[in-house]
Amino acid sequence: MEVEDRASTLHFDHLNKIMSRPSPFGNETGKLPNGYYEPSSQLHTSLREKKILVIGAGGLGCEILKNLALSGLTNITVIDLDTIDISNLNRQFLFRMDDVGKSKALVAADFIMSRVPGCSVTARHGKIQDFGEDFYSEFNVVVSGLDNIEARRWLNNVLVGLVQYDEDGDIVPESIVPLIDGGTEGLKGQARVIIPKVTSCFECSMELFPPQRHFPLCTIRETPRLPEHCITYAFAIEWERTFPDRKLDTDSPNDMQWVYHVALRRAQQYGIEGVTYFLTLGVVKNVIPAVASTNAVIAAACVNEALKLLSFASQSLNNYLMYMGGQGLYTSSFEYQQNKDCIVCADPPFRTLHLPSDSTLEALLQTLAEDPGYQMKAPFISSDSLTLYAPNPPSLREQTQCNLPKTLHDLIVNGEVLRIRDTAL
């Protein structure tokens, strides 16, 4: 037992040495200072008490969990909704063949704790939206390995909303929960440090992401011309009609095979070629290719930033790191500026949108969906006097969809401010 305990402490000997020595590059010397570095032989030991939340236990999440545990940040909670598929095993190294079908979060937590003595990993199997503000406020830092923009926007909105102000209007530092956001796509990746209300938030940079492709429902229903139209018809219309009480499980091979065959039959009916199973996965799941080496590079950057934010032992990234691995090893960093019109972190979150007065409410919805600065999914729109459009519940949608062809001039009074909420936020 003594041999095992000694072996476990050897993992952290080098970090203990670093954090017990003075440094000319303490956090306070950087362009994004968050605190003052005070070297101490007990500093690294104190880091074990810091609470770290990891979002996602996939390809990037596995690397993040491993790096955190081996860096001595051993009080970890991990959230993931997915279960393990056999296709995950080539890069998500915390899983084995016997784990197929089990919760990623639970298996990853057990694996880390079995390999790193003294590490505590609490697993949460579910959606990030299942947890409220009180849950997220418990953590000292959040490290995200999410694979979709919508979930990132939701998480960003929650963490920005946690920030509190004192009587003088100054930010209460203890209310800030930093977000370190990592993402990969093939041989490209990024790591980003977001200090809510201090740096730019995720929403500030929404224009960096191209709007997801949307197809008019009338085209999908009546005049499909592309294989994507047939696939969208299958999962957006025919699935709900056939299985009204069951949500499509995009991780279920059986569900995806059903969508593929329905789309293929519709394509054959209209003489459209190109519907394949892999294209079906791409359209429904917005599949992004994963490369293990890219995950390793970005996870290392994310955990390095977490260590610096918690110990102040070095300068924090300010605030965006870009990695391009297609033509060799190339990285660059830059400061992404706050957007003064950001609909999440601006004070107040207010933005002016210019549209002709004869524009319809439906045109406004289309703008909110397609404009790179908004990219909304299902906006709820109200004025000072009434609800103009509500996508849910179905009964309210039926009552308000009659407003879609009406002009904004007819629906709102001059000077009124529209209030818009969206599931992505």
Side-chain angles (χ1 to χ4, degrees):
M1 179 63 70
E2 292 181 0
V3 174
E4 290 182 0
D5 290 342
R6 174 58 183 158
S8 67
T9 60
L10 285 175
H11 287 303
F12 314 125
D13 278 356
H14 295 299
L15 282 170
N16 285 330
K17 291 177 181 177
I18 291 173
M19 295 184 182
S20 61
R21 297 173 178 174
S23 170
F25 304 108
N27 193 271
E28 69 277 6
T29 66
K31 294 184 178 180
L32 184 59
N34 299 284
Y36 288 90
Y37 175 49
E38 299 179 358
S40 166
S41 59
Q42 300 300 314
L43 177 55
H44 188 260
T45 302
S46 69
L47 293 183
R48 301 189 187 190
E49 301 174 2
K50 302 294 185 180
K51 301 183 70 174
I52 320 296
L53 176 62
V54 176
I55 310 289
L60 186 57
C62 283
E63 291 278 0
I64 290 172
L65 288 168
K66 176 259 294 180
N67 290 349
L68 287 171
L70 294 179
S71 298
L73 299 172
T74 53
N75 189 355
I76 305 169
T77 299
V78 58
I79 301 177
D80 199 297
L81 174 65
D82 290 344
T83 55
I84 300 164
D85 184 77
I86 193 171
S87 63
N88 302 145
L89 302 183
N90 70 329
R91 64 192 180 281
Q92 298 177 20
F93 54 85
L94 300 183
F95 311 136
R96 301 294 184 265
M97 183 64 73
D98 292 342
D99 299 324
V100 172
K102 299 178 182 178
S103 163
K104 285 186 177 182
L106 292 169
V107 173
D110 289 342
F111 191 97
I112 291 291
M113 288 190 290
S114 69
R115 296 296 291 270
V116 183
C119 185
S120 172
V121 185
T122 302
R124 304 278 188 171
H125 179 74
K127 298 179 179 179
I128 59 173
Q129 293 88 345
D130 294 339
F131 305 91
E133 290 186 349
D134 291 341
F135 172 79
Y136 290 101
S137 65
E138 296 177 359
F139 296 95
N140 298 104
V141 67
V142 176
V143 186
S144 167
L146 289 165
D147 60 359
N148 69 88
I149 293 175
E150 186 172 352
R152 281 186 170 99
R153 297 178 75 180
W154 186 91
L155 178 63
N156 173 78
N157 188 44
V158 169
L159 297 184
V160 171
L162 293 178
V163 177
Q164 299 176 6
Y165 295 85
D166 60 22
E167 295 178 352
D168 297 326
D170 297 323
I171 293 176
V172 178
E174 293 77 16
S175 68
I176 295 177
V177 180
L179 170 63
I180 301 172
D181 178 62
T184 66
E185 181 175 348
L187 295 171
K188 298 180 293 183
Q190 57 87 22
R192 183 173 180 181
V193 175
I194 296 174
I195 312 295
K197 293 291 187 176
V198 176
T199 68
S200 61
C201 75
F202 186 84
E203 196 71 28
C204 289
S205 58
M206 274 305 296
E207 294 181 359
L208 287 176
F209 303 96
Q212 295 188 2
R213 196 174 180 186
H214 297 277
F215 304 107
L217 278 179
C218 57
T219 300
I220 294 171
R221 289 178 182 274
E222 307 296 339
T223 56
R225 300 183 299 276
L226 301 172
E228 291 85 353
H229 292 164
C230 301
I231 296 169
T232 304
Y233 175 87
F235 80 83
I237 297 176
E238 195 59 36
W239 177 273
E240 185 174 345
R241 181 182 300 163
T242 307
F243 307 103
D245 300 323
R246 189 163 78 85
K247 186 178 179 180
L248 175 66
D249 182 358
T250 58
D251 292 317
S252 167
N254 291 333
D255 286 7
M256 296 309 298
Q257 283 285 350
W258 185 94
V259 172
Y260 163 61
H261 288 296
V262 170
L264 185 61
R265 288 196 300 270
R266 185 166 178 83
Q268 293 170 345
Q269 177 184 353
Y270 285 88
I272 299 171
E273 298 181 353
V275 173
T276 66
Y277 182 69
F278 290 106
L279 179 62
T280 301
L281 290 176
V283 172
V284 177
K285 299 181 67 173
N286 192 25
V287 173
I288 298 173
V291 176
S293 59
T294 309
N295 288 336
V297 170
I298 297 304
C302 289
V303 174
N304 192 30
E305 293 307 318
L307 198 62
K308 290 188 288 184
L309 280 173
L310 295 173
S311 69
F312 308 130
S314 186
Q315 299 174 356
S316 293
L317 170 69
N318 185 35
N319 50 35
Y320 194 100
L321 171 73
M322 181 174 62
Y323 167 73
M324 304 292 286
Q327 302 294 327
L329 182 61
Y330 172 76
T331 61
S332 66
S333 63
F334 62 92
E335 180 183 5
Y336 202 97
Q337 299 288 341
Q338 283 183 290
N339 183 352
K340 61 182 179 62
D341 295 324
C342 178
I343 57 178
V344 171
C345 72
D347 290 317
F350 177 89
R351 182 181 292 185
T352 301
L353 178 63
H354 297 281
L355 288 173
S357 61
D358 59 352
S359 295
T360 63
L361 183 62
E362 188 170 17
L364 173 60
L365 285 173
Q366 186 173 357
T367 299
L368 294 173
E370 296 178 355
D371 189 294
Y374 296 100
Q375 299 193 41
M376 294 188 178
K377 304 293 182 181
F380 180 103
I381 305 176
S382 63
S383 65
D384 293 336
S385 55
L386 75 159
T387 297
L388 300 182
Y389 180 73
N392 286 301
S395 58
L396 191 54
R397 182 176 66 239
E398 291 179 4
Q399 294 176 22
T400 57
Q401 63 185 5
C402 61
N403 290 329
L404 292 176
K406 296 180 181 179
T407 66
L408 298 178
H409 178 75
D410 294 332
L411 292 171
I412 60 177
V413 179
N414 187 34
E416 273 191 303
V417 176
L418 293 183
R419 295 170 178 82
I420 302 174
R421 303 194 303 274
D422 187 69
T423 55
L425 303 176

